[in-house]
Amino acid sequence: MKKKLGLVIDILMYAILLAQMLYVFVGNTAHELLGMGFTACLICHVILKRKAIAGMLKNLGRLRGAHLLQCCVTALLVLCVLALMISSMDVSRLLLPQVRILGSPALHRCLATAVLALAVVHGGLHGYNKTKRKKTAAALILLGCAAALALGLALVPYLNRHYKTVEIDRAQAVSGEKIAFSGGKPLTVYFTRVGNTDFAPEVDAVSGASLMRADGELMGNSQLLADMIADAIGCDAQAITLTGEKYPSAYSATVSVAGQELRDKARPGIAPIEIADYDTIILVYPLWWGTIPMPVASFLESADFAGKTVLLVATQGSSGFGQSARDVAALIPGAKVIEGVSIYCDDIPAARQTIGEWLKEL
Ligand SMILES: Cc1cc2nc3c(=O)[nH]c(=O)nc-3n(C[C@H](O)[C@H](O)[C@H](O)COP(=O)(O)O)c2cc1C
């Protein structure tokens, strides 16, 4: 009975972890409640395994081979689970919204990936130590660990990019502390998919991660960031707008068109943006293929940036700034190009504070 209960709890813990990694589909409320469920299961797991844990600790000096490895993996897993719990509180929006230490969802995702991978190895080694078919068990452990890492490091960012649905209250997301900007007269210029895409009439936010609905209207991530900057320092915000053909409605089609444009070094036609009256251009863009979208290159080549400062603000699905800063600097050699902040697409609606802090540091 105790063994069966232990097995059920173990399976439940793996299932909860997996469901939590699929945040895109379960949403924040379920994610946080599942986190509570995971903690409860973990406590039951430790209570049920208390004798085995005590035995392992008692014989620590005598452990060899796979038993010693299991002990090390378990210790690492405990540390990662503790760190994951702290980071959960740190990014919680529902249960503990007031706790903020680093407030890093990226760290939270890395820790979750580490916990899943280590949990697979931990459970696998348990089986390895019991079975006679060591080679099969070892192969399964490696496979499971690789799958967990692929899930956390590749699949989750991919899903976030393609399937994320976000509804926001624009005024609430955009407004916040006002900051005195000391870097001359600033202008925010942004490029975003919304406004530059021929969306099918029935399109909704489900069709692309980069899409969200602000007060029911489609809005791009970069546009929201630009609005936050404009609100913080009271500057103008102008969009880079295509004058010719727009990008296709389907996310994947836009990805291939953008890839071709990058290979062709295309410079799509855009409406003119006057920058002569400004000292600092805050350039907000989504990472496309690890760099700036080609319409942003069109903008950079369309104006005289000599003597100006260009502050870069990127949004992305995992790539940081990619090689965008280098590419921007190469296009406008007369300007001072500074990497500002790069914000993960998932974190944009709650990025007002980060933007404010960055602007204050300047
Ligand atoms: C054509 C295309 C290419 C992309 N390439 C990358 C990439 O290389 N790295 C990355 O982290 N995100 C990439 N993304 C994700 C976007 O950078 C991310 O969803 C961004 O927040 C979208 O901002 P927007 O709503 O202002 O367009 C890409 C998105 C598109 C549409």
Side-chain angles (χ1 to χ4, degrees):
M1 181 65 191
K2 214 170 145 188
K3 254 190 175 172
K4 270 190 190 157
L5 181 66
L7 190 67
V8 169
I9 287 175
D10 290 355
I11 293 173
L12 206 59
M13 279 164 66
Y14 286 116
I16 291 177
L17 263 181
L18 266 177
Q20 283 191 291
M21 303 277 289
L22 301 175
Y23 179 90
V24 165
F25 302 120
V26 299
N28 188 64
T29 306
H31 180 85
E32 294 200 22
L33 295 176
L34 283 168
M36 303 292 284
F38 181 81
T39 309
C41 287
L42 185 64
I43 293 168
C44 296
H45 176 85
V46 172
I47 292 172
L48 287 171
K49 302 275 173 175
R50 64 189 183 284
K51 282 189 187 150
I53 296 169
M56 193 188 266
L57 290 174
K58 214 170 138 191
N59 296 316
L60 211 53
R62 272 175 272 157
L63 294 177
R64 296 284 175 272
H67 288 281
L68 181 62
L69 183 63
Q70 192 185 8
C71 183
C72 296
V73 168
T74 308
L76 202 57
L77 180 58
V78 170
L79 285 178
C80 285
V81 167
L82 288 175
L84 179 65
M85 282 176 170
I86 295 169
S87 82
S88 308
M89 295 183 233
D90 199 25
V91 294
S92 160
R93 279 185 239 152
L94 177 77
L95 302 172
L96 291 163
Q98 62 280 32
V99 180
R100 286 292 173 269
I101 306 162
L102 293 174
S104 168
L107 175 68
H108 184 62
R109 278 187 297 275
C110 285
L111 286 168
T113 306
V115 165
L116 185 63
L118 286 167
V120 168
V121 179
H122 168 80
L125 283 171
H126 189 69
Y128 179 94
N129 285 329
K130 292 204 160 158
T131 186
K132 285 190 181 126
R133 299 167 69 184
K134 302 284 185 207
K135 275 190 182 159
T136 314
L140 285 175
I141 293 171
L142 285 177
L143 207 69
C145 183
L149 291 174
L151 176 81
L153 300 178
L155 188 64
V156 168
Y158 174 86
L159 290 175
N160 278 350
R161 283 214 290 271
H162 285 71
Y163 297 104
K164 190 101 187 87
T165 310
V166 187
E167 287 277 350
I168 61 157
D169 175 328
R170 189 189 164 280
Q172 205 183 358
V174 163
S175 51
E177 190 188 351
K178 310 293 176 228
I179 289 140
F181 186 75
S182 53
K185 190 177 176 194
L187 170 71
T188 297
V189 176
Y190 66 91
F191 176 79
T192 187
R193 219 176 130 220
V194 176
N196 289 307
T197 299
D198 254 334
F199 286 118
E202 74 280 7
V203 82
D204 60 16
V206 177
S207 68
S210 59
L211 298 182
M212 70 184 118
R213 281 185 187 277
D215 307 335
E217 293 282 312
L218 281 182
M219 188 176 201
N221 290 340
S222 308
Q223 184 183 354
L224 188 63
L225 282 178
D227 286 358
M228 289 176 184
I229 294 166
D231 175 77
I233 57 176
C235 68
D236 295 332
Q238 287 201 34
I240 297 174
T241 320
L242 292 173
T243 48
E245 206 177 324
K246 294 188 173 187
Y247 290 99
S249 184
Y251 183 88
S252 50
T254 296
V255 171
S256 31
V257 171
Q260 192 57 50
E261 283 183 348
L262 181 64
R263 284 189 290 278
D264 295 346
K265 296 193 171 64
R267 295 292 181 262
I270 58 163
I273 295 178
E274 192 48 69
I275 63 162
D277 291 345
Y278 300 91
D279 306 300
T280 299
I281 308 300
I282 303 175
L283 184 62
V284 190
Y285 55 91
L287 255 260
W288 278 16
W289 289 94
T291 185
I292 47 169
M294 289 304 101
V296 175
S298 302
F299 163 63
L300 293 170
E301 286 181 353
S302 73
D304 181 9
F305 280 85
K308 302 209 185 283
T309 299
V310 177
L311 299 173
L312 303 181
V313 176
T315 153
Q316 32 75 26
S318 64
S319 309
F321 277 100
Q323 59 169 44
S324 63
R326 253 172 294 149
D327 292 348
V328 170
L331 286 171
I332 44 171
K336 185 177 175 191
V337 177
I338 299 173
E339 268 188 14
V341 276
S342 176
I343 300 186
Y344 182 63
C345 50
D346 212 14
D347 304 335
I348 306 277
R352 178 60 174 82
Q353 202 183 334
T354 311
I355 289 289
E357 276 159 16
W358 166 65
L359 287 165
K360 260 196 254 175
E361 275 171 23
L362 284 172

